[in-house]
Amino acid sequence: MRILMVGLNHRTADVAAREALAFDDAGVAGLLSQLRERFPMSEGVVLSTCNRTELYIARPVHAAPSAEEVRSLLAERGGLAPEVLASTTLLREQEQAALHLFHVCAGLDSMVLGEPQVQGQVRKAYELAQSHGLVGPVLHRLFRGALAAGKEARNRTGIDAGRTSVSSVAVAFARNIFDHFTDKKVAVIGAGEMIKGAAHALLREDPQALWIVNRSPGRARQLAQSVSPDGARPVAMRSWDDLDTVLVEADIVVSCTGANEPVVSADRFRPLLKRRRNRPLFLVDMAVPRDIDPAIGGLSNVYLYNLDDLQQAVGVTTDERHAQREQCEAILHERCARCMGEIRHRDLGKLVQQLRARLNDIADQEQQRTQRKLAAQGVVNERHDAVIREHNHRLINKILHLPLSQLDRNDPNAPVGFYAAALRRLFDLDDEPTVPGEGEGSEAGSDRQDAS
Amino acid sequence: MTDTATSIPLILMTALSAAAATLAVRRLRAARPQEQRPNTSPTQHLLVGLIAVGCITLLLLRWLLLWESWEPLHAHVDGLLLMCASFAGAVLYIQTRPKLRGLAAFALPLLTLMLAWAICASLWTYRPFRLDTLEPAWLVFHTTSTYLGLLCCALGAIGGAMYLYVQGRLKSKHAVPGRLASLETLETLIIRAATLGFVLLTLSLVSGVVLVTRGEGTALGIEWWVSPKVILATLAWAVYALLMNIRHASAFRGRRAAWLAIFGLVLLLATYGIVGAMDKQTGTIDTASSLKRASDTDRGGD
């Protein structure tokens, strides 16, 4: 099986490009369905977060899709020309693709090093693909291994300790504008995971009030209960229709909704400035596509930051954590190699089975021919049949002994993949067709708890 | 002799101030975003402390050496020494306040310029005040409030300069080096400095008017109220009146307030420039000369 990763992230593409390929749950589901229809032999997981849209594919060696086909599919879904994507997409294969996923899970590829939220996002993407029947044995092992390794790397190195979430970086940035938060009113727009993290980070600063503004009052209520279960924190819900008033009264606004159009447009915000009496306003737009019109950032006394801006701001913090990163990478390399070994082991097991089956077929055919010839000469009997079968068995074992010993699974330097591909080609063996949801695929479901 | 005794320590203190400024600026430039290390070093503290002590000592020495009367300020250089000593004290305070991180890097270059100005005032543009007047109390009141008012305005201006720097970094989405004073703190500093500066400038203006009217306004001309010095001083006073109410006059908040604080200082320096130009014509400081004329008139009257 070949593992392929095609996608773009905050390192390869700017916000505008990421916006075009940012899929909500329905969009991811649509893409998964399309993958299943077009490439039924393949496994696939779509990871779409604010910072990245990546497709992880596991397919038989000579089967579709190719990287170009995946890129075309993405371009089609995003309404972009494939050549536009060519310069911004990232392509990784086999070990590199696996290692990339391990890095993503551990937060090493995140905008903020060690960010914990991405772990949950990867798990959600894996579970969504699983519910669409697109997770087979390869991606199951890969994602399970990556999630476990990410958790282990965080626990052992403490890379996620301190200011490692986008929300906490945003709070640190707000300190350049405001001296203290006790007399500041904070508003969060949306009620998702990112907003939950932001609300927690902001409440730690003890603001005068925290308002939750969301289209769905039910989700806003859930979030309010989640961030202030005992009601001791100054958390209140504001209706969506009240958004203009909130924008006038608040000092800090953090937005992350799933809206496809800006929630706060420049035309909407400009008249509010006068009502604000030019008080400074710190706006953090964590959404992709963006919730807040970038033109608002140009207005006086308004400081608008999106995810890219925060990334720029935390660049040096990332450098400071170089040592922790190295530790993390060592753990991830080891875990990734082990995981790929398991996948390869399973591949080789299947290959040996196929090879033996092929040789047995040939042997059976030849045995039948021999038996027919001996029967024509009148010398065959049941004892002869057993001898011929044993002879074939020994012959097959002796033929297979040397090639199989070359596929030494314990030698990391052995070109196992090359040997396996050569054997498949020489003996005309099909690559294993994946039947997601069956066989080992069902194992994925039972192991889901382990991954979490 | 006195000029040399004044100038040499002043040159030394200017060099110390330049060294402290270099240290502060280098420290600021080397700081990483959000870094929470102290905004100053012990060496910087020591240098600024030496400057403060040096300025006060020099001011007292000059007062004793040039003893003419009880008034401590004999010349423009004494006023500048008073300002530098107070400013160095303010910088020492700033350096100990975590909320004002980074402000010393903006204040110390200005202190260096003030000391350099004091060297000029000592060596090349020495201007003694005329102390043989009938109104020495008003003169002392006027000069002291003027120099201290200028000091407050200078503090407001460095707050404004730093505000523009931090705001520029934030607007251009560049990380702010170290953890500098927040925009909110800087705005508060500008307002407080402007408020104190406004009070002192008001006292300075009132005492100036008293001095001028006692001298029948001859130094500034017959129509002294429309003289450039009075117009500029009043304009600067108005700027600070606006600045101290900036949170109510919201149209001037933020960047505009910072520019106003700088503009106010420039106006005050321009007023001082005009004082110097007028002194070249009259030979002494205007108010003193006008008072001298007033006293002559009084004696003549007797």
Side-chain angles (χ1 to χ4, degrees), chain A residues 218-249:
Chain A
R219 290 197 65 199
R221 197 172 298 113
Q222 274 179 2
L223 177 62
Q225 282 168 354
S226 160
V227 295
S228 177
D230 51 0
R233 301 288 187 94
V235 180
M237 289 188 301
R238 300 284 292 259
S239 84
W240 189 256
D241 299 333
D242 217 12
L243 184 57
D244 280 0
T245 314
V246 168
L247 288 171
V248 169
E249 293 173 3

Side-chain angles (χ1 to χ4, degrees), chain B residues 12-301:
Chain B
L12 275 174
M13 283 189 288
T14 309
L16 289 180
S17 179
T22 310
L23 272 178
V25 172
R26 283 182 64 180
R27 202 173 172 82
L28 178 70
R29 286 171 65 91
R32 292 177 172 184
Q34 305 303 325
E35 192 177 1
Q36 296 212 25
R37 68 174 175 169
N39 66 336
T40 186
S41 63
T43 317
Q44 203 175 308
H45 272 300
L46 181 70
L47 290 175
V48 179
L50 281 174
I51 294 165
V53 173
C55 285
I56 292 169
T57 312
L58 194 56
L59 182 64
L60 293 174
L61 274 175
R62 276 182 56 84
W63 185 20
L64 295 172
L65 286 173
L66 299 171
W67 182 270
E68 287 183 23
S69 66
W70 63 271
E71 293 103 325
L73 306 181
H74 293 95
H76 182 48
V77 66
D78 295 313
L80 287 171
L81 275 172
L82 172 69
M83 213 163 79
C84 289
S86 315
F87 200 78
V91 173
L92 271 178
Y93 173 76
I94 285 168
Q95 288 183 161
T96 58
R97 303 297 298 169
K99 277 171 77 172
L100 295 172
R101 270 198 183 91
L103 194 62
F106 291 80
L108 284 169
L110 190 61
L111 178 62
T112 310
L113 287 177
M114 281 181 187
L115 286 164
W117 187 10
I119 296 171
C120 292
S122 163
L123 282 178
W124 298 294
T125 58
Y126 187 77
R127 274 193 294 123
F129 297 150
R130 290 293 301 272
L131 305 172
D132 52 342
T133 68
L134 287 179
E135 303 291 346
W138 280 109
L139 183 61
V140 169
F141 195 67
H142 176 69
T143 48
T144 309
S145 58
T146 304
Y147 283 112
L148 292 180
L150 183 63
L151 168 73
C152 292
C153 299
L155 278 173
I158 60 160
M162 188 167 166
Y163 187 101
L164 291 174
Y165 171 75
V166 174
Q167 201 228 21
R169 301 284 298 186
L170 290 175
K171 276 283 187 186
S172 62
K173 315 291 170 65
H174 284 101
V176 177
R179 178 175 273 186
L180 298 185
S182 67
L183 293 182
E184 189 180 22
T185 305
L186 291 171
E187 193 182 65
T188 307
L189 172 74
I190 292 171
I191 292 170
R192 286 184 184 166
T195 307
L196 198 55
F198 174 80
V199 172
L200 289 166
L201 286 181
T202 306
L203 296 176
S204 169
L205 273 176
V206 169
S207 56
V209 168
V210 169
L211 288 171
V212 168
T213 48
R214 297 256 329 156
E216 297 172 1
T218 47
L220 297 174
I222 303 296
E223 295 182 330
W224 58 269
W225 57 87
V226 289
S227 72
K229 182 189 174 185
V230 173
I231 290 173
L232 283 179
T234 312
L235 195 57
W237 178 81
V239 165
Y240 287 102
L242 176 64
L243 262 178
M244 71 178 190
N245 291 297
I246 211 76
R247 284 191 175 145
H248 305 291
S250 61
F252 288 94
R253 279 194 81 162
R255 202 175 165 77
R256 287 176 189 165
W259 277 117
L260 265 179
I262 295 168
F263 177 65
L265 182 68
V266 171
L267 272 180
L268 282 177
L269 292 177
T271 313
Y272 277 87
I274 286 168
V275 173
M278 284 184 154
D279 284 350
K280 277 182 185 168
Q281 291 171 355
T282 58
T284 56
I285 194 163
D286 51 355
T287 46
S289 60
S290 61
L291 281 170
K292 176 72 172 59
R293 277 188 280 273
S295 66
D296 291 346
T297 311
D298 287 347
R299 280 177 198 147

